[in-house]
Amino acid sequence: MIRVEHPGLLSTLQDLGRPGCQHLGVTPGGAMDSYSAAIANALVGNPPEAAVLEMTLRGPELSFERGAWVSVTGADLSAEVDGRPLACWRPVWLPAGSRLGFGRPRLGCRAYLAVAGGFEVTAVLGSRSTDLRAGFGGLGGRPLGKGDIIAAGENALALPDDPSRPYLPAWSVAWNRALPLECPARLRLIPGPDWQALPDEDRRALETDAFRVGQASDRMGLRLEGPPLRLAAAERLSAGVTFGTLQLPPGGQPILLGVDRQTTGGYPVLGTVASVDHPRLAQLRPGETVRFEPVPAERAQTLFRIRALQLRRLRASLGLRWPLNTPSS
């Protein structure tokens, strides 16, 4: 059992989302940085679809009533256990009574906490993800609150020799090197149906000018601030949109859609960020800047296949490192 001593800025339970419901007007949602979430799960022996805790900018303070294997990936939010820095991108054993907290955000926007056995909450439409706008999933469709109790599933991993003390295995993953958090960020963009309708100088502006992430940004979308872009046709017929769609409202300031986006939209579509760059998109925070690099769809597909292969290999190698916790007869 895990008790929430302080909820942090915005902490929600998420998994890989609920696809297959967009025809009902339900967004897929899920973890903004699904790569970091999947690796957090892999580090503690969970399947990729297990629920994790997504923490935004300022993480919560949690107390563990029993020992647990945990891992923290994604942004660097100054994680610490009982006042000591916590090693990220690796599994860590926390004995009963440990307090996990977070301090100043150093790099990135969202960190992910996985617990061996996963977080136990009721699935809604096949997912444990929190949909804040619809008010369902996770902990009743809301962020963590002070005093909440979260249950974790059964730990299937071998315990350390002394479960009463913190323990770190002598290995970690270097996936954080594949999540560059340089600024300005450069996101690869597959040109969309309205890309060619932009004047040449506006297309160059997206590639060379640094657009700033506005304060009114969240999991639904990132509002970008920069030189106003002009488009002859200000509206189009509504069509499906996806994570990473770059829309252009009449005001000329682009919107980059997130995982909690609406299912359709009528704004012109300039393009879609390649899925291989979704982790970088998810880690953008207000005040940071971004540029776009147009790439053909074939190139984006190749990059996606390479990343998927890397993830499969990582999961396989981590699976070989973990002996199962077999009960004594």
Side-chain angles (χ1 to χ4, degrees), residues 26-329:
V26 178
T27 182
M32 275 282 283
D33 182 353
S34 60
Y35 292 99
S36 292
I39 294 168
N41 273 324
L43 284 166
V44 292
N46 292 341
E49 64 274 10
V52 297
L53 185 62
E54 180 180 277
M55 303 164 289
T56 306
L57 289 176
R58 182 187 175 195
E61 184 177 342
L62 309 171
S63 60
F64 287 73
E65 297 183 3
R66 65 172 182 172
W69 285 106
V70 306
S71 65
V72 176
T73 62
D76 182 353
L77 303 187
S78 304
E80 58 182 33
V81 175
D82 297 329
R84 297 186 298 272
L86 173 73
C88 297
W89 298 91
R90 65 188 306 167
V92 181
W93 171 260
L94 299 185
S98 297
R99 289 177 76 103
L100 172 64
F102 297 83
R104 180 177 62 87
R106 293 194 181 100
L107 284 173
C109 184
R110 295 174 174 88
Y112 294 86
L113 169 68
V115 178
F119 292 101
E120 289 294 314
V121 290
T122 302
V124 178
L125 296 176
S127 170
R128 293 180 170 86
S129 285
T130 305
D131 189 321
L132 293 171
R133 285 179 170 78
F136 60 73
L139 296 175
R142 60 172 177 82
L144 262 61
K146 180 179 174 61
D148 282 341
I149 301 292
I150 315 173
E154 191 66 28
N155 172 42
L157 303 180
L159 303 181
D161 293 336
D162 184 358
S164 67
R165 303 180 60 184
Y167 174 73
L168 281 75
W171 49 270
S172 62
V173 299
W175 190 267
N176 54 324
R177 298 174 188 172
L179 184 60
L181 296 178
E182 79 287 346
C183 193
R186 182 167 290 275
L187 301 180
R188 284 163 284 200
L189 185 76
I190 304 169
D194 299 298
W195 176 257
Q196 292 298 330
L198 277 175
D200 291 342
E201 58 269 28
D202 284 1
R203 290 200 299 270
R204 286 194 295 269
L206 281 169
E207 299 176 41
T208 59
D209 292 345
F211 283 77
R212 187 174 301 277
V213 178
Q215 294 295 322
S217 298
D218 55 18
R219 284 171 46 90
M220 185 173 182
L222 280 63
R223 294 185 176 273
L224 305 183
E225 302 168 352
L229 305 179
R230 299 160 295 167
L231 201 61
E235 294 185 7
R236 63 197 304 270
L237 292 176
S238 292
V241 292
T242 187
F243 183 21
T245 294
L246 185 65
Q247 292 183 317
L248 186 63
Q253 300 295 311
I255 297 175
L256 195 52
L257 298 185
V259 290
D260 283 351
R261 67 202 177 269
Q262 69 279 14
T263 56
T264 62
Y267 290 145
V269 174
L270 304 182
T272 301
V273 172
S275 57
V276 72
D277 285 341
H278 284 179
R280 184 64 186 98
L281 188 165
Q283 295 299 342
L284 286 168
R285 58 186 181 183
E288 292 187 336
T289 53
V290 58
R291 295 189 177 104
F292 296 92
E293 176 187 347
V295 296
E298 295 77 13
R299 174 60 177 162
Q301 291 168 345
T302 298
L303 294 171
F304 173 80
R305 287 192 291 266
I306 293 172
R307 178 64 56 82
L309 178 59
Q310 291 171 336
L311 276 172
R312 287 197 298 270
R313 287 175 173 173
L314 177 62
R315 288 195 61 83
S317 65
L318 290 175
L320 295 174
R321 292 181 180 273
W322 279 115
L324 293 180
N325 180 22
T326 53
S328 56
S329 55

